[in-house]
Amino acid sequence: MIFGIGTDICDIRRMRETYVRRGERFAAKVLGPHEIEVFRQRLAKVESRGISYLATRFSAKEAFSKAIGMGMRMPMTWRDCEVVKAPSGKPEIRLHGALAEWFETRGLRAHVSVTDETDYAASFVVVETRENR
């Protein structure tokens, strides 16, 4: 059963401007432990790939916060929600701390899709209740 749906679109140009102004501090505020490492690797190789990665993660977290119905307030935090790749390449939500506990006690499961083009990153999240609780 669907618990919630969230979507978000992010202007990559604005994300780039914010990163130029605030630098690594901004990325460290938004990205979780695994994500920050991937971001740094991509940024070092091709700056635009790093910024696009940051934008897709920002967008996905916004969409996730909408799908769970709480926006960016506790226990939802930027760093406790990560978007990681499964071995197949499929994006998945990985939660930490109080957010993971909140999510687990409600028996929820999340599905996420992210995409980006030159100027925009977009995400779609569906959160459902797990069967056989």
Side-chain angles (χ1 to χ4, degrees):
M1 179 177 187
I2 293 178
F3 180 85
I5 298 171
T7 189
D8 189 74
I9 188 166
C10 177
D11 188 327
I12 296 173
R13 296 164 296 191
R14 289 187 63 208
M15 188 67 49
R16 181 177 292 107
E17 291 168 8
T18 302
Y19 182 76
V20 166
R21 272 194 328 273
R22 299 192 52 215
E24 178 86 11
R25 271 190 355 230
F26 176 66
K29 177 182 177 182
V30 172
L31 302 175
H34 172 75
E35 293 170 323
I36 195 75
E37 294 306 316
V38 174
F39 168 73
R40 288 174 180 151
Q41 291 168 5
R42 290 185 180 196
L43 192 69
K45 286 183 182 176
V46 179
E47 184 179 16
S48 62
R49 284 192 68 223
I51 300 300
S52 291
Y53 178 85
L54 178 60
T56 59
R57 275 36 191 183
F58 184 95
S59 175
K61 293 172 190 213
E62 284 283 338
F64 178 79
S65 73
K66 293 169 185 175
I68 62 173
M70 62 178 44
M72 285 298 175
R73 61 181 168 82
M74 293 301 282
M76 177 65 199
T77 66
W78 292 107
R79 293 181 46 78
D80 281 346
C81 176
E82 290 191 285
V83 180
V84 300
K85 276 189 182 179
S88 66
K90 175 186 170 197
E92 296 180 337
I93 300 284
R94 179 188 299 162
L95 303 176
H96 305 286
L99 180 58
E101 186 177 317
W102 180 90
F103 200 73
E104 183 64 30
T105 60
R106 284 157 181 78
L108 301 175
R109 181 171 59 186
H111 307 277
V112 60
S113 179
V114 298
T115 189
D116 64 282
E117 285 295 331
T118 304
D119 294 333
Y120 296 99
S123 301
F124 189 78
V125 174
V126 174
V127 173
E128 65 180 346
T129 55
R130 279 187 250 133
E131 299 298 320
N132 303 326
R133 277 188 64 196

